[in-house]
């Protein structure tokens, strides 16, 4: 299979999926797209993509199918549900799931696909909506190596740091490692900014000073400037971060690995979900610390 000559199925045109699909089209890939809410297909339809009526319809028209949806049950539904991919999948097809879901469910779905002579590649991403737009995502890949190798041109169209990490589920496991780091760092940034605000520090100067030294991080350098301006639009929504932390906690519990730092971050995010702030970006974690300290970290 030469992936450059294949029609590519793409399911899930959300914050991440739409710009990723756009980049594939920019690089000349012919797309068959499906999104549950059809109105989100308009832009790609105008650019020449074929619009499918359901996931089964995608699998009829494409042997390489990318999924970028929310959580494990959503990927299960796309594959195994009514009018799902499994109803019409052709032998030797490859499903590339780029959503962040459970490593365990990934392995189960891969086994289902293998039973039909097909493959599942898990290829979750990091780099946020900005990385999706710019085509600079980090992509962490698990699954059959031969299937991965055939799909490299697709990954190169959507990302820059493309790492094959091992057998089915390993891409998702690597992504959970990423989420431990991301949530812990966001937690530290929120705590630090509230400390600085209560101390009467100039917040912009503080970010410039510490962001150029050993404390630099993607969260500090990209999200802290947005926090102090009061910009809480998502990038990455709190409700999705909390979904990922649930996956981390479940996986850690199954291995008896203590993860106190991640658990704390998850509790702080929970306080924001209970206030109905799940659709805000993860930088809104600062609001949980602001409530505790009675101060706002804004310029
Ligand atoms: P999003 O904007 O909420 O988009 C979710 C997409 O999934 C929408 O197209 C939605 O369709 C579709 N969907 C959800 N459940 C479905 C179902 N049961 N059947 C069919 N379609 C379904 O989320 P996102 O930010 O793009 O995130 C997508 C995935 O990437 C998540 O797993 C997330 O954790 C991961 N991720 C996100 C970021 C980020 O910065 N945003 C970064 C790295 C990884 P509708 O349009 O009909 O709702």
């Amino acid at each position: 299979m030469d992936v450059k000559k294949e029609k590519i199925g793409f399911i899930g045109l959300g914050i991440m999926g739409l710009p990723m699909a756009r980049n594939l089209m920019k690089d000349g890939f012919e797309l068959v797209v499906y999104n549950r809410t059809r109105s989100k297909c308009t832009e790609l339809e105008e650019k020449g993509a074929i619009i499918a009526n359901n996931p089964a319809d995608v699998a009829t028209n494409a042997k390489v199918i990318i999924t970028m949806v929310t959580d494990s049950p959503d990927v299960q539904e796309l594959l195994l549900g009514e009018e799902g991919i499994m109803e019409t999948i052709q032998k030797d097809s490859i499903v590339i799931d780029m959503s962040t879901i459970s490593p365990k469910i990934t392995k189960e779905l891969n086994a289902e696909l293998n039973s039909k002579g097909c493959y599942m590649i898990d290829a979750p991403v990091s780099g946020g909506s900005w990385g999706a737009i710019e085509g600079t995502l980090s992509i962490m890949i698990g699954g059959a190596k031969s299937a991965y190798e055939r799909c490299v041109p697709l990954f190169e169209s959507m990302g820059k740091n493309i790492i094959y990490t091992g057998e089915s589920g390993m891409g998702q496991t690597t992504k959970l490692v990423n989420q431990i780091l991301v949530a812990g760092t966001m937690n530290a940034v929120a705590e630090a900014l509230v400390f600085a605000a209560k101390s009467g520090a100039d917040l912009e100067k503080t970010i410039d000073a510490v962001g150029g030294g050993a404390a630099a991080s993607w969260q500090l350098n990209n999200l802290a400037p947005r926090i102090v301006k009061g910009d809480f639009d998502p990038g990455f929504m709190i409700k999705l971060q909390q979904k990922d932390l649930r996956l981390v906690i479940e996986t850690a519990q199954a291995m008896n690995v203590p993860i106190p730092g991640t658990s704390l971050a998850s509790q702080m995010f929970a306080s924001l979900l209970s206030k109905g702030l799940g659709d805000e970006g993860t930088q809104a974690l600062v609001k949980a610390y602001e409530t505790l300290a009675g101060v706002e970290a804004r310029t």
Side-chain angles (χ1 to χ4, degrees):
M1 177 197 286
D2 178 355
V3 84
K4 290 192 176 147
K5 295 187 183 142
E6 292 285 326
K7 280 202 188 93
I8 309 299
F10 201 107
I11 302 179
L13 302 175
I15 289 181
M16 298 295 285
L18 179 60
M20 289 161 69
R22 208 185 273 142
N23 283 335
L24 288 168
M25 290 190 82
K26 239 187 259 165
D27 283 347
F29 290 102
E30 203 181 328
L31 295 198
V32 182
V33 302
Y34 167 74
N35 195 68
R36 185 176 56 183
T37 308
R38 200 190 185 286
S39 56
K40 290 190 195 165
C41 298
T42 310
E43 179 195 322
L44 298 184
E45 189 172 22
E46 284 169 5
K47 290 191 161 105
I50 300 164
I51 309 303
N53 293 320
N54 51 54
D57 196 13
V58 175
T60 304
N61 288 290
K63 286 182 78 177
V64 178
I65 303 165
I66 297 171
T67 54
M68 189 53 167
V69 294
T70 310
D71 200 351
S72 314
D74 306 310
V75 180
Q76 284 174 311
E77 191 185 325
L78 290 181
L79 279 151
L80 308 171
E82 208 176 313
E83 298 181 321
I85 289 169
M86 290 304 255
E87 285 185 7
T88 54
I89 196 158
Q90 306 164 61
K91 193 169 181 299
D92 279 331
S93 292
I94 304 174
V95 174
I96 307 170
D97 179 36
M98 303 190 78
S99 334
T100 304
I101 70 162
S102 147
K104 182 167 170 279
I105 288 170
T106 295
K107 284 186 215 163
E108 289 167 12
L109 292 173
N110 180 52
E112 291 267 359
L113 281 159
N114 289 168
S115 73
K116 294 225 173 195
C118 301
Y119 303 93
M120 174 138 171
I121 299 293
D122 44 310
V125 303
S126 175
S129 54
W130 305 276
I133 292 166
E134 299 297 324
T136 55
L137 292 167
S138 271
I139 311 181
M140 305 152 222
I141 300 162
K145 194 161 190 197
S146 58
Y148 150 69
E149 280 165 350
R150 281 186 271 167
C151 297
V152 166
L154 295 170
F155 295 129
E156 285 176 345
S157 177
M158 296 180 278
K160 282 277 176 286
N161 188 34
I162 298 154
I163 310 281
Y164 177 76
T165 60
E167 64 186 18
S168 176
M170 264 310 146
Q172 294 294 356
T173 300
T174 309
K175 170 73 186 188
L176 296 188
V177 172
N178 184 79
Q179 294 311 75
I180 293 173
L181 292 162
V182 163
T185 311
M186 191 66 248
N187 193 53
V189 168
E191 187 173 293
L193 282 182
V194 168
F195 174 90
K198 192 87 177 184
S199 312
D202 180 313
L203 293 177
E204 279 176 357
K205 285 195 178 125
T206 303
I207 294 165
D208 286 347
V210 300
S217 67
W218 191 91
Q219 281 77 12
L220 178 67
N221 297 71
N222 291 285
L223 296 180
R226 295 179 63 181
I227 289 173
V228 300
K229 289 190 189 95
D231 174 2
F232 297 106
D233 284 349
F236 186 44
M237 287 183 267
I238 286 174
K239 66 184 181 193
L240 291 184
Q241 174 70 282
Q242 196 64 335
K243 177 260 303 180
D244 290 356
L245 297 185
R246 190 200 78 230
L247 294 172
V248 172
I249 291 165
E250 279 169 13
T251 309
Q253 273 178 353
M255 298 187 294
N256 289 326
V257 173
I259 45 164
T262 307
S263 303
L264 171 64
S266 173
Q267 295 294 315
M268 298 305 278
F269 279 119
S271 74
L272 299 173
L273 281 170
S274 72
K275 287 187 179 162
L277 301 181
D279 288 340
E280 295 201 347
T282 53
Q283 68 273 24
L285 183 60
V286 76
K287 293 181 182 178
Y289 284 92
E290 288 172 347
T291 303
L292 292 176
V295 67
E296 276 201 345
R298 298 293 173 279
T299 51

